[in-house]
Amino acid sequence: MVKSISTCKEYIFIGETMLKKKRFLLIPLFFIFIFLYIHFSEKKENDVITMVRNNKNTMIAINYPKTKDAHLNKKIENQVSSAYQNFIEQYEDFKSLEGKAEFNVDYEYHEIDDTFLSITLYYYVDSHTLETPTREITSFLYNQTSHEYFTLNQITKNTKELTSYINQTLKEKYGTYVKRTYKEEEINTFSFTVDTKKIALYIPSHLPQFSYYVVHIPFEYFKINKPKEITSAFQYIPKDKVIQPREKVIALTFDDGPSRNTKNIVKVLNKYNVNATFFILGNKVSLYKSDLQNLLNSGNQIGNHSYNHKLMSTLEDSDLEEQIKKTQEVLEKELGYTATVLRPTYGSVSKKMAEKTSLSIVLWNVDTLDWKIKDPKKIAKRGMAVRDGSIILMHDSKDRSVKALEIMIPKLLKKGYQFVTIDELKEVQMIRKKL
Ligand code: ZN
């Protein structure tokens, strides 16, 4: 049921002919191979297990970590799979007029020190009925050496003091919404997460306006150290970017995402330290929220490509406005991001469109035809037919586009092209006017 997309794999190739001719080399090679194997498996980073599905009545997007620890993996897998089964049983045969029911799992991963790991799983269910979406949080504080899971009072210096701190903070933060105080033994049963700044405790609220009461507790109350760094799978720290306005620039653009391929594209872009612009569909934003967050963190740009890919140039005024506005809104809500550029669906622009929107309309001048051509090499060849200032059209819904990118980017870099986003392209054009 779950498909693994591994984040990094090391391959070691040994030339076949060499082995045949020089057999005496086999033994040392064997040891080198073993050494490399151990070396790489130790350095191997955590994987992410991802499952994305668009069923008849449900939409699924699951991301959870696969760590180096089998005990912990089993525990996480069991929990995610039982939540998934419950959701499917409840919603797969149930058709809502408002849209498909959504199930989303995401996570946070923090290495506290060599011993402790903190993993938090976030569950989100939106049935698209009158009920408000439900959010659930479960967490594990795991000792990798002893394979134990820790409860809050096992890591607390003084449970009594902690309990009174929690009750007092709840009162200050939520006032009369909190009807009672919590006892020491209750506090021990709640989920908590550990990150570099704080420990957060989640208390189920039974009120529609809060899924949980959240209390942030300072590290002074605990016996454990502050985590040294955040190692979330989606964390990427962009390097400082320098664009030379006098040198050649091109802008890669991807239409029709986000999709299960988005994160693979971002991975390729990150590998070569380049950026692109993604013209996305609003109706898919919440399903791929963490991938889009990662895309933005890596310095890429997001543009508007309508809400659900209607042919925009033929729409009535109000429908056209709705297609643009709904996507702007979902980007603001889910990512706190305001898109500044619009790519009309099918590249078809109407006069009305320009009047109806304040976003700037961006087309392209190099078409890879990756929606039609199946061979990644041929797609790459079309994508490399660029000159200074070219905007290249690709689609992030295709596997072959990812493969074509792997061919194109290093070759274009070698030719001296700088990869810029649409906003950066505009800036370069402005600077050049002044030069
Ligand atoms: Zn499109």
Side-chain angles (χ1 to χ4, degrees):
M1 122 206 162
V2 191
K3 191 175 154 208
S4 162
I5 297 172
S6 75
T7 46
C8 79
K9 275 204 175 108
E10 313 283 347
Y11 293 102
I12 301 159
F13 294 103
I14 302 170
E16 243 180 77
T17 45
M18 185 182 78
L19 283 184
K20 278 177 200 158
K21 280 177 194 162
K22 300 183 179 177
R23 275 178 190 272
F24 61 90
L25 269 176
L26 264 175
I27 292 166
L29 268 174
F30 175 75
F31 283 110
I32 292 170
F33 188 86
I34 293 293
F35 168 76
L36 284 172
Y37 178 74
I38 293 167
H39 180 71
F40 283 125
S41 39
E42 270 177 6
K43 273 181 72 182
K44 193 174 177 288
E45 305 209 330
N46 292 305
D47 272 355
V48 188
I49 307 289
T50 296
M51 180 175 105
V52 176
R53 250 185 219 171
N54 202 339
N55 298 328
K56 201 166 139 240
N57 293 322
T58 57
M59 290 211 286
I60 318 287
I62 296 174
N63 291 302
Y64 64 90
K66 183 169 185 169
T67 69
K68 285 163 262 179
D69 190 296
H71 291 256
L72 183 59
N73 291 343
K74 189 98 205 127
K75 181 120 176 165
I76 295 171
E77 269 162 31
N78 286 345
Q79 201 190 81
V80 172
S81 101
S82 90
Y84 168 76
Q85 299 296 353
N86 284 344
F87 172 81
I88 289 293
E89 274 166 31
Q90 212 173 337
Y91 295 106
E92 192 45 59
D93 297 327
F94 164 87
K95 190 164 177 57
S96 159
L97 293 174
E98 301 296 319
K100 295 181 181 185
E102 285 171 40
F103 180 66
N104 184 226
V105 181
D106 242 311
Y107 72 95
E108 251 180 76
Y109 175 97
H110 298 279
E111 267 170 34
I112 295 167
D113 50 35
D114 294 336
T115 316
F116 287 109
L117 282 181
S118 167
I119 291 176
T120 314
L121 297 169
Y122 297 93
Y123 296 90
Y124 174 82
V125 173
D126 190 350
S127 60
H128 287 293
T129 57
L130 289 177
E131 289 166 45
T132 46
T134 56
R135 285 165 215 275
E136 264 181 55
I137 297 165
T138 59
S139 58
F140 309 101
L141 183 65
Y142 183 64
N143 184 325
Q144 300 184 86
T145 320
S146 66
H147 305 295
E148 285 173 287
Y149 296 90
F150 282 81
T151 57
L152 199 63
N153 64 13
Q154 280 174 303
I155 57 162
T156 309
K157 283 179 189 161
N158 184 326
T159 318
K160 206 171 171 185
E161 272 177 26
L162 178 71
T163 309
S164 85
Y165 175 84
I166 290 164
N167 280 319
Q168 196 192 327
T169 313
L170 275 173
K171 209 193 274 172
E172 284 164 16
K173 199 168 166 186
Y174 296 97
T176 50
Y177 284 116
V178 181
K179 297 270 183 268
R180 66 188 189 89
T181 55
Y182 292 87
K183 295 193 185 82
E184 278 177 39
E185 56 275 20
E186 277 179 290
I187 279 163
N188 206 27
T189 63
F190 301 139
S191 279
F192 62 99
T193 61
V194 183
D195 68 27
T196 42
K197 292 190 189 72
K198 64 195 178 294
I199 291 184
L201 185 72
Y202 299 92
I203 304 173
S205 85
H206 311 294
L207 288 173
Q209 61 269 54
F210 311 109
S211 297
Y212 287 89
Y213 303 119
V214 185
V215 179
H216 292 159
I217 310 164
F219 271 92
E220 290 90 271
Y221 286 89
F222 298 96
K223 289 186 264 191
I224 55 169
N225 301 318
K226 269 190 182 190
K228 48 182 192 275
E229 59 178 329
I230 297 178
T231 42
S232 158
F234 302 113
Q235 185 88 0
Y236 176 81
I237 295 140
K239 294 185 186 121
D240 283 340
K241 194 168 174 183
V242 181
I243 301 164
Q244 306 286 354
R246 290 171 199 269
E247 306 294 323
K248 294 182 283 188
V249 288
I250 43 173
L252 276 175
T253 65
F254 296 92
D255 283 10
D256 299 353
S259 74
R260 65 186 178 83
N261 266 333
T262 308
K263 62 168 176 286
N264 300 331
I265 288 184
V266 173
K267 222 177 274 173
V268 178
L269 298 176
N270 285 348
K271 179 174 161 191
Y272 295 104
N273 202 20
V274 300
N275 288 133
T277 306
F278 293 77
F279 290 95
I280 58 93
L281 301 172
N283 68 345
K284 295 205 267 181
V285 168
S286 22
L287 199 55
Y288 293 99
K289 187 176 163 179
S290 57
D291 291 346
L292 290 171
Q293 194 73 63
N294 183 36
L295 176 159
L296 289 172
N297 286 343
S298 307
N300 300 295
Q301 186 178 350
I302 292 178
N304 190 322
H305 190 50
S306 84
Y307 191 72
N308 52 13
H309 217 273
K310 287 195 175 147
L311 176 54
M312 295 166 89
S313 55
T314 59
L315 292 178
E316 296 289 321
D317 280 10
S318 60
D319 288 343
L320 175 63
E321 268 175 52
E322 177 94 345
Q323 284 284 318
I324 299 171
K325 201 178 119 206
K326 270 174 89 177
T327 297
Q328 291 299 106
E329 281 172 356
V330 74
L331 284 171
E332 303 256 359
K333 185 180 143 245
E334 296 288 348
L335 302 164
Y337 183 84
T338 309
T340 55
V341 288
L342 171 75
R343 173 165 288 160
T345 46
Y346 309 96
S348 168
V349 193
S350 65
K351 206 178 145 200
K352 196 165 63 185
M353 206 181 290
E355 290 162 8
K356 282 282 163 210
T357 178
S358 58
L359 304 175
S360 66
I361 294 172
V362 177
L363 297 174
W364 61 87
N365 41 35
V366 173
D367 190 347
T368 57
L369 296 181
D370 61 343
W371 57 273
K372 193 164 84 179
I373 298 174
K374 299 216 163 58
D375 181 0
K377 280 187 214 131
K378 287 184 184 152
I379 296 168
K381 199 178 166 204
R382 292 188 62 94
M384 284 186 290
V386 292
R387 57 192 174 87
D388 183 29
S390 287
I391 299 175
I392 307 163
L393 171 66
M394 299 186 80
H395 293 82
D396 87 5
S397 43
K398 302 272 181 256
D399 281 331
R400 53 190 186 243
S401 310
V402 187
K403 291 192 183 114
L405 268 188
E406 272 283 5
I407 304 170
M408 286 161 65
I409 297 176
K411 288 189 178 164
L412 288 166
L413 283 171
K414 226 174 187 174
K415 285 186 178 170
Y417 283 103
Q418 306 175 91
F419 288 78
V420 292
T421 63
I422 294 297
D423 275 354
E424 288 161 353
L425 181 66
K426 284 186 196 161
E427 210 169 302
V428 166
Q429 285 161 347
M430 290 239 298
I431 295 169
R432 281 181 183 177
K433 273 184 197 159
K434 289 181 203 157
L435 284 175

